[in-house]
Every structure is written in C-alpha cells, then in structure tokens.
C-alpha cells in the first residue's frame, strides 16, 4: 500500500479525538473518510469541518477505511479495537493500550494474526525534547519524572496512573531499557473515585532508580524529566521544549543548552503511523511497548492499593 491510498477514520470525537481528526485531514498521506461518535451532533459537526462522513457506530467504518485512530474512553479500547483489527483495519489507539494486561495481550495477538499495524498513542515519544534526551543519555543512575496539572475533569474513568503517569512510565522504559524488578507507590483520590495523584519508585535490574510523580489536582502544570548520570545531570522540560545539562560537580551556571525545534507531536505521531502502514518503518510505539507500560502501571496501582491497607514494597515480577 502506498501512503496516498490510505483511507482513515477517527472513532471518538471528544477533546483529543477532534485533534486526531484535524491531523488526519491535514496529512497529505491520508484521506479522512469518516468520523464516529455516539453523539450524532458532534459527529456531524466534526465531519462538516473536514468533509468526512459522520457515523454513530464504529462498525460502519468496515469496508470504508484502511486505518483508524481510536480515542474512546479506555474501558472501550478493547471492544472497539478488536472489531477494527479483526476487519483488517490498522489501528492507532490512544494511551493506555487497554485497561487490563489481558485485554492488551488479546489485541496484540489479533493484530499479529491479521497482519495489521497496532500503534499506541504514547505521544511524548514523538517529542523532540525526549528525542534529544534519549540520544544523549547513556547510563542513567536516577530518573525523576513530574507530570502534574490542574483539575480538568477529563479521563476520570481511569486512575491518574493510567491517565497521566503512564506517559512517563513509557518514557522511562524507553530511556532505561532494563526490567523493572521492584515498585513502591502511594496515591489517593481527591475529586474522582480513582486516584488523582500518585508517586512511584521503580527499581530496574541494571540498578537505575526512577521516581515518578503524577497529579491531576495540582495548582500548576509541569512536565519534566531529570536524569543523573555518573558524570552529568540532565533537565528536560517537555512543555517549555528545553533540554539542559551540566557536568556533575560543576556550578549550574556552566550548563549547556540544547536547541529543540518546534513541533506538533500529534502530527508527528500520526505521520509515523501512516508510514508504518505503508511499510516505511515499524511502529515506534507498538502494541508490545504499550503492554510493557501497562504492566508497570498495573504494578503501581496494585502497590498503591496495598499501601492503603497498608503494606510495604516487595520484589515483583509480571503481575497476573
């Protein structure tokens, strides 16, 4: 398949789904054929913006599209994606891949059987800020990730670990490239029925330790990654698009600034998805990467539950 032949659709037109529709429509490699939402008026409004057919049922896309973005609530990811994959349609699912590891494994197996692309929307992987950091960091001793923001009332069907922290779980796994061997975590609900803030410490087999902080009830917004290596300290601000570093043992005034070009990370993510469909590259964040992040998120959520009983951290393997 050549990229000029890719007919696409977007399923779920909430806050982020409307952005997906806009990027599909703007990409010269795709032709946005249809958009889907249970709210007919919303589907008609977005469809009219992009000259795409408005639909109420995702199954009506079968036979009309080659690929879709799925931006429905996490609890619906498996059911919707399974229908698309089984029909031979390539799928980009917003993070997390699913709400349970078993559901994620099932989607991966279905995609492998049908030979379709399964990409997970861990959008920060496409950030030039993270790219600059990953190119330069070789031996992380510690990694600290902070992802906090004010209450917005979105994605409250899932824990903050699956809503926000999972971005940084994926980034840390890509940066450290080692197995998680132990987890400590705590968290609590504030405005939602699930945890609204969480802190976790991950210990890796290679000795790296990662500290993750996530909150959707903070008084400010912050998305940062700080890395300590044997000879250098790194600070990356994903929101401000800056990366700086300085040799350990030297004054901060001696820091080096790395120029990061402006970018639209969602546009880059969807463009990469289309290239994968055309056979130009493998998905940067495939189903297995999505599962790896989900497994660690599941460990963290379990530890938070144990801490409330209370309990201390223990060595862990893959949860069942």
């Amino acid at each position: 398949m050549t990229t000029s032949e890719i007919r696409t659709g977007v399923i779920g037109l909430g806050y982020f789904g409307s952005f997906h529709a806009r990027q599909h429509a703007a990409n010269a490699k795709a032709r946005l054929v249809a958009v889907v939402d249970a709210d007919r008026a919303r589907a008609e409004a977005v469809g009219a913006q992009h000259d795409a057919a408005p639909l109420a049922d995702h199954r009506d896309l079968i036979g009309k599209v080659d690929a879709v973005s799925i931006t429905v609530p996490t609890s619906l990811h498996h059911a919707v994606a399974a229908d698309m994959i089984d029909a031979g349609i390539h799928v980009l699912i917003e993070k997390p891949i699913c709400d349970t590891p078993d559901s994620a494994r099932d989607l991966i197996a279905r995609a492998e059987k049908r030979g379709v692309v399964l990409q997970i929307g861990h959008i920060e992987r496409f950030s030039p800020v993270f790219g600059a950091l990953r190119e330069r960091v070789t031996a992380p001793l510690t990694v600290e990730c902070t992802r906090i923001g004010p209450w917005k009332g979105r994605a409250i069907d899932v824990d903050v670990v699956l809503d926000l922290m999972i971005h940084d779980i994926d980034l840390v796994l890509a940066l450290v490239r080692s197995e998680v061997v132990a987890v400590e975590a705590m968290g609590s609900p504030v405005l939602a029925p699930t945890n609204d803030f969480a802190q976790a410490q991950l210990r890796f087999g290679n000795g790296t330790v990662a500290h993750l902080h996530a909150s959707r009830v903070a008084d400010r917004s912050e998305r940062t990654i700080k890395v300590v290596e044997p000879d250098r300290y790194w600070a990356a601000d994903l929101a401000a698009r800056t990366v700086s570093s300085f040799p350990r043992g030297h004054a901060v005034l001696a820091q080096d600034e790395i120029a990061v070009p402006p970018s639209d990370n969602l546009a880059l993510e969807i463009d990469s998805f289309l290239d994968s469909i055309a056979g130009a590259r493998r998905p940067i964040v495939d189903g297995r990467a999505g599962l790896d992040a989900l497994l660690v998120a599941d460990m963290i959520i379990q530890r938070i539950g144990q801490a409330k009983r209370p309990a201390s951290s223990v060595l862990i393997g893959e949860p069942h």
Side-chain angles (χ1 to χ4, degrees):
M1 177 183 293
T2 63
T3 52
S4 61
E5 297 174 328
I6 300 176
R7 303 166 300 166
T8 66
V10 176
I11 305 171
L13 301 172
Y15 176 76
F16 214 55
S18 62
F19 296 153
H20 274 257
R22 185 173 67 194
Q23 293 299 342
H24 277 278
N27 195 302
K29 300 172 184 177
R31 177 164 59 89
L32 182 63
V33 172
V35 293
V36 181
D37 199 275
D39 183 332
R40 183 74 186 188
R42 182 184 294 171
E44 289 177 350
V46 175
Q49 289 176 1
H50 304 298
D51 194 24
L55 302 173
D57 190 325
H58 66 276
R59 290 166 293 192
D60 290 338
L61 289 171
I62 296 173
K64 298 182 176 71
V65 300
D66 306 302
V68 294
S69 280
I70 297 176
T71 57
V72 298
T74 302
S75 58
L76 301 177
H77 280 191
H78 179 268
V80 174
D83 286 341
M84 297 294 97
I85 291 170
D86 289 349
I89 296 171
H90 304 283
V91 167
L92 166 59
I93 311 177
E94 262 306 321
K95 59 78 196 167
I97 179 173
C98 285
D99 53 2
T100 69
D102 283 345
S103 295
R105 292 187 186 96
D106 182 67
L107 289 187
I108 293 168
R110 289 171 186 259
E112 290 176 348
K113 180 179 179 180
R114 289 292 285 150
V116 299
V117 171
L118 173 58
Q119 180 170 315
I120 314 306
H122 285 285
I123 192 171
E124 299 283 25
R125 287 277 206 106
F126 296 87
S127 164
V129 175
F130 178 71
L133 190 67
R134 191 180 185 187
E135 286 174 3
R136 292 164 173 82
V137 170
T138 58
L141 299 175
T142 65
V143 183
E144 180 180 0
C145 298
T146 300
R147 186 174 297 266
I148 61 175
W151 175 255
K152 295 180 179 177
R154 295 197 302 265
I156 59 173
D157 61 316
V158 295
D159 193 291
V160 70
V161 176
L162 292 179
D163 178 19
L164 298 181
M165 186 180 284
I166 197 162
H167 280 297
D168 294 318
I169 293 171
D170 175 65
L171 295 184
V172 168
L173 292 178
L175 200 61
V176 177
R177 296 188 291 274
S178 180
E179 180 184 5
V180 175
V181 296
V183 172
E184 296 178 13
M186 60 82 65
S188 178
V190 177
L191 297 176
T194 55
N195 294 312
D196 287 319
F197 72 86
Q199 297 182 5
Q201 177 178 279
L202 309 179
R203 292 186 178 275
F204 291 84
N206 65 359
T208 302
V209 177
H211 304 273
L212 309 179
H213 313 270
S215 174
R216 53 191 180 195
V217 289
D219 60 357
R220 69 186 193 283
S221 295
E222 181 180 344
R223 288 187 290 142
T224 57
I225 305 175
K226 300 172 183 177
V227 182
V228 175
E229 292 194 282
D231 60 352
R232 184 162 285 271
Y233 172 85
W234 298 88
D237 190 320
L238 294 162
R241 300 175 184 270
T242 60
V243 180
S244 60
S245 71
F246 60 88
R248 289 181 65 186
H250 289 67
V252 177
L253 293 177
Q255 66 182 352
D256 300 318
E257 298 286 344
I258 298 168
V260 178
S263 68
D264 184 324
N265 298 342
L266 181 59
L268 294 174
E269 179 181 68
I270 289 175
D271 195 65
S272 179
F273 175 54
L274 296 171
D275 282 347
S276 295
I277 293 168
R281 66 169 72 184
R282 293 179 57 83
I284 291 176
V285 190
D286 62 12
R288 294 191 178 277
L291 174 60
D292 289 343
L294 180 61
L295 287 170
V296 175
D298 195 47
M299 296 174 193
I300 292 170
I301 293 170
Q302 288 184 34
R303 292 299 175 264
I304 291 173
Q306 291 173 353
K308 291 175 181 176
R309 288 198 287 267
S312 59
S313 66
V314 294
L315 293 181
I316 47 90
E318 182 177 299
H320 298 285

